[in-house]
Amino acid sequence: MFVEKKEKQLGENFIKNGYSIHKITNKKDLEYINEKFVKFFEKELKVKIRNSQKFFNGIHEKLNIKNLNKIRLSLINNVTAQKKFRIAYYNVAREVLNSIVGNELAMQNAINLSIQLPNDRSSLLSMHADTWSGDSPFEVVVWLPLVNVSKTKSMYILPAKEYKFFEKKFLKLKNKSSTFLFNKIKKKVKWLNIKYGEFLIFNQSLPHGNIVNIETESRISL
């Protein structure tokens, strides 16, 4: 098997950190995804969106928290019904996935969606690892924000080197709450800074999650 130096380095960095952030080279696929969201919100909220980034960042001005989950589920159903959407989503990360995981892949049918408004406690994803609920340790997650994210507007992850230190402790504390576990590692987690036009790929065996978004902008991520 012939592996280029760049591909080898990608794999080594991924194993070392458990995650990596990359610029999207398939801009047309990103634009396709973004445009589907724009059209959905224009129809659903009866607005005209001239600047998608500005609108998505300020979507809390148009969305009521009580209706948020209904809108989110409707949007998931809308994009999942479009076969090309999954293809575009895969293409966004295709090159990196091929280097790190390979090109003989299975992909879940439904693409998950998170809309986290400022100070909204109803959209939290407590600290967890997907493998804790039975997912395969050989899966990876591609996380795509449709806005710039940082601090509490983003997500956190426990880097691989830190997880190795805590792994045995997690096994002993497996019956504790996610809040209890997060407090054990909160000084070690990494808050991720990701710009629109970039994506995150990470090892879902690593503890990750979010907390209340105390920033002034909203986050939409897939």
Side-chain angles (χ1 to χ4, degrees):
M1 181 179 180
F2 299 98
V3 180
E4 295 182 1
K5 185 177 179 179
K6 181 182 178 181
E7 293 177 316
K8 184 179 179 182
Q9 189 174 15
L10 274 175
E12 290 174 347
N13 289 339
F14 186 78
I15 290 172
K16 179 182 176 181
N17 299 315
Y19 69 92
S20 54
I21 298 168
H22 304 272
K23 288 185 177 181
I24 297 171
T25 56
N26 296 311
K27 297 294 184 182
K28 288 185 178 180
D29 292 293
L30 175 61
E31 290 169 2
Y32 170 84
I33 291 171
N34 194 72
E35 183 62 22
K36 291 301 177 185
F37 275 69
V38 167
K39 288 182 177 179
F40 174 87
F41 284 121
E42 285 187 332
K43 182 178 179 180
E44 191 74 23
L45 301 178
K46 296 178 174 56
V47 294
K48 182 64 179 177
I49 301 173
R50 293 181 172 81
N51 184 319
S52 63
Q53 292 301 290
K54 184 177 180 180
F55 180 82
F56 293 159
N57 276 310
I59 199 168
H60 51 277
E61 297 173 359
K62 299 292 183 180
L63 275 182
N64 188 309
I65 290 178
K66 292 181 180 180
N67 298 326
L68 177 59
N69 198 50
K70 180 181 178 181
I71 292 289
R72 187 180 69 85
L73 292 175
S74 178
L75 181 49
I76 289 174
N77 291 332
N78 182 282
V79 298
T80 300
Q82 302 174 53
K83 184 178 180 180
K84 187 179 176 182
F85 194 90
R86 289 177 71 247
I87 297 172
Y89 198 83
Y90 170 60
N91 284 339
V92 159
R94 178 192 290 268
E95 293 179 8
V96 176
L97 281 170
N98 288 356
S99 296
I100 293 177
V101 188
N103 60 6
E104 295 182 2
L105 303 173
M107 178 182 178
Q108 69 182 46
N109 290 323
I111 296 174
N112 293 326
L113 168 69
S114 174
I115 303 176
Q116 193 176 17
L117 311 182
N119 302 309
D120 174 22
R121 294 182 175 274
S122 69
S123 303
L124 299 183
L125 193 59
S126 301
M127 192 199 78
H128 68 288
D130 297 8
T131 51
W132 294 354
S133 57
D135 283 19
S136 168
F138 299 103
E139 293 179 18
V140 296
V141 177
V142 172
W143 194 70
L144 176 66
L146 295 184
V147 289
N148 296 343
V149 297
S150 62
K151 300 178 181 178
T152 60
K153 186 186 171 186
S154 184
M155 61 167 277
Y156 63 80
I157 190 168
L158 185 66
K161 63 179 181 180
E162 300 292 350
Y163 180 66
K164 289 177 182 178
F165 177 78
F166 280 98
E167 190 170 14
K168 290 182 179 179
K169 289 188 177 182
F170 280 131
L171 293 175
K172 292 178 181 178
L173 300 171
K174 61 182 180 180
N175 293 322
K176 299 291 184 178
S177 69
S178 58
T179 301
F180 179 90
L181 294 174
F182 175 69
N183 287 332
K184 288 287 184 182
I185 66 169
K186 64 181 179 181
K187 293 182 180 179
K188 300 294 183 179
V189 299
K190 177 74 173 178
W191 288 93
L192 303 174
N193 297 329
I194 307 174
K195 296 178 180 179
Y196 175 67
E198 297 178 333
F199 69 90
L200 164 73
I201 180 171
F202 68 92
N203 177 354
Q204 61 166 8
S205 298
L206 298 176
H208 57 280
N210 63 25
I211 62 174
V212 175
N213 174 14
I214 61 172
E215 315 308 322
T216 59
E217 297 177 330
S218 296
R219 184 193 85 217
I220 299 178
S221 58
L222 296 133

